[in-house]
Amino acid sequence: MKVTEKDVSYVADLANLELTEDERTRMVRDLNSILGHIDNLNELDTANVPPMAQVSELYGVDRSKTGCERFMYASREDVIEGLRKCLPHDEALANAPSSDGTYFKVPKVIER
Amino acid sequence: MATTSHPAISARGKYEPVIGLEVHVQLLTASKMFCSCANRFGDAPNTNVCPVCLGLPGALPVLNSKGVEFAVLAAMALNCRINETSIFARKNYFYPDLPKGYQISQYDKPLAEFGHVNITVGGVTKKIGITRLHLEEDAGKSLHEGFPGASETTAVDLNRSGVPLIEIVSEPDLASPDEAYEYLTRLKEIILYTGVSDCNMEEGSLRCDANISVKPKGQKQFGTKTEVKNVNSFRFVREALEYEIERHIEVIESGGKITQESRLYNSAEGKTYGMRSKEQAHDYRYFPEPDLLPLVVDEKWQSQIRATLPELPEALRARLIADYGITAQDAAVLTISRSLADQFEAAAKAAKNPKRVANLVQSEILGRLKAKNLEIDHSPISMKGVAASADLMESGAISSKMLKDLYDLAFEQNKDFPTIYEEAGRPEQSRDTGALEKIIDEVIAANPKQLEQYRGGKKTVIAFFVGQVMKASKGQANPQMVNDLLAKKLDA
């Protein structure tokens, strides 16, 4: 599979990125080199390896436990502000490019 | 010139609608799905927010275990198979009320699959498949109008950002707007019984998108579908679907093609409009959420959750019909909410004769409610009140005529039965045998022919005498006493 300029333009568009001609050429080259590396990995026979969404599934869990208990360390009880306090209202809005002191303000959105 | 029928109406019979529904339900957890901000509707804008739900760089999500339990409970109530391992995925799109630029959702490995809901339309029961039920987070809320500067700006409130949601996707098994309406009604009822959501459509805690296509009758392959988004009542879903079916048929009949698109329903006009959305907006580039572990709900946890599953409306109705001898229709009324059904059962069980409570609700309460256009949860006479009156009838203290009068008063003055009964001075039907005996003697004397029949062996004629005595006492006599006294005198 080879990444084309058209693919790069499409993905850039989805990601709201405006690329210059040079950047686009570089992206095509970089992405193809990454996919080339993946092709190397594809030489391995993984027919009997179950798909894994992420490595912490294997290396992050509490291995002394079984079943869902192994994963529980990464969840929490349903307690309001049990993890951390909410941000004070003014602090929450402080870094917004635009706000009216109550809401975040953005340029008019028509429809999704 | 002969009248010509509308082309779409005459063509309607040639087509079959195919409808599938996506329902989003907010879960009633105390805190949000991936952070510990309050999950509360109606608070001041942007006050229940933190770095996680504001999408600030570096913030990491932490799973709310209650949200998982609620989602699993709902899935079980909808007869789904729970996937022991499911994974979270990022759904990528840009919108101002989605500060991270992606929604944490589930994609190719959802929490639950293969469920169903039974619906009954026109006396026919049909099983509607549920493709999947998955966990995700809600987005914030965009306000497009109602504030200064609304013509140039959109206001964003992120209190809702990160609120736990379940998305319930039906199979395209629904063949009419009425079936869609019934499915939503049953689905909402089941969710309400589980208590995982308040399903309040005005507050957006239940939202529905409808997918609709039409195809020539008998054809296997589906037509091109449109999606009607974010309709805020079940009635409007039905109307929007009616409109879309007509529109699809009209377009196809006139040689056109349906464009696959999202549409909005304008309830004031009863029409749908295409949304101006970019075509590629549907490419969400899902990938596994690297910040969250796989979601594992093993058998032990599943069975703990299953133990909290309440009796569901369908089973409850069947049991009420069997236990209290009420009709299916009344069972439907008594189970419109779990709390009403609980009240009814508690009252019926506390009463000396549970069936009498059911009968009174059926014969004396429902009609009066209908006449006053009241829902049963606003009945002036509570289930406890019904039980109290049932006991008074059971003991012979009041007659059915008196009960009816007291019920009328209760509905007139909007007071519960015990209050009305006290205010009326705890009336009792006549148990004065002297007065009653006099009436009975008069009735027997006035009906020599029936007396002769009775004495000749036709004992059933006693019913005639009872009726006459009750009539003569204007319904005030105690039927049991009338029976006893009559039998004594007739057999003398």
Side-chain angles (χ1 to χ4, degrees), chain A residues 10 13 54 76 78 81 108, chain B residues 31-32 35-36 283 292:
Chain A
Y10 176 70
D13 200 23
Q54 50 148 280
R76 63 185 174 86
D78 183 26
E81 300 194 331
K108 186 83 185 162
Chain B
S31 63
K32 294 185 179 180
C35 63
S36 59
D283 188 342
L292 287 164

Side-chain angles (χ1 to χ4, degrees), chain B residues 284-298:
Chain B
Y284 293 124
R285 294 147 294 143
Y286 283 95
F287 64 88
E289 165 60 274
D291 290 342
L292 287 164
L293 287 175
L295 175 55
V296 177
V297 187
D298 63 1

Side-chain angles (χ1 to χ4, degrees), chain B residues 1-36:
Chain B
M1 178 72 194
T3 54
T4 51
S5 63
H6 195 269
I9 293 167
S10 60
R12 178 76 191 258
K14 292 196 280 177
Y15 292 92
E16 291 174 332
V18 177
I19 301 166
L21 298 176
E22 284 171 25
V23 176
H24 288 89
V25 178
Q26 283 180 350
L27 302 177
L28 277 177
T29 53
S31 63
K32 294 185 179 180
M33 195 63 218
F34 300 115
C35 63
S36 59

Side-chain angles (χ1 to χ4, degrees), chain A residues 9-17 50-62 66-93 95 98-112, chain B residues 29-38 40 45-52 54 56 62-66 87 93-97 143-145 147-148 150-158 264 275-278 280 283 285 288-294 296-298 300-301:
Chain A
S9 299
Y10 176 70
V11 175
D13 200 23
L14 284 175
N16 275 7
L17 292 174
M52 185 171 65
Q54 50 148 280
V55 288
S56 49
E57 184 177 342
L58 274 186
Y59 303 108
V61 292
D62 186 344
T66 57
C68 64
E69 301 283 321
R70 297 183 86 180
F71 298 86
M72 279 304 173
Y73 76 95
S75 70
R76 63 185 174 86
E77 298 284 317
D78 183 26
V79 177
I80 296 175
E81 300 194 331
L83 275 185
R84 68 169 71 77
K85 288 245 168 256
C86 290
L87 287 176
H89 180 62
D90 52 342
E91 229 173 279
L93 295 174
N95 293 323
S98 172
S99 99
D100 61 1
T102 304
Y103 293 102
F104 294 96
K105 288 298 202 57
V106 297
K108 186 83 185 162
V109 181
I110 312 292
E111 283 307 350
R112 218 173 291 217
Chain B
T29 53
S31 63
K32 294 185 179 180
M33 195 63 218
F34 300 115
C35 63
S36 59
C37 294
R40 206 161 43 214
N46 297 305
T47 52
N48 299 326
V49 292
C50 76
V52 173
L54 288 174
L56 301 187
V62 185
L63 187 68
N64 181 346
S65 53
K66 193 79 191 173
I87 65 170
Y93 65 92
F94 288 111
Y95 202 73
D97 58 26
L143 279 92
H144 302 287
E145 50 203 29
F147 57 92
S151 54
E152 303 89 41
T153 54
T154 291
V156 179
D157 173 11
L158 294 175
L264 278 181
M275 292 164 77
R276 280 170 284 170
S277 49
K278 280 194 288 181
Q280 66 211 34
D283 188 342
R285 294 147 294 143
E289 165 60 274
D291 290 342
L292 287 164
L293 287 175
V296 177
V297 187
D298 63 1
K300 194 175 135 206
W301 198 11

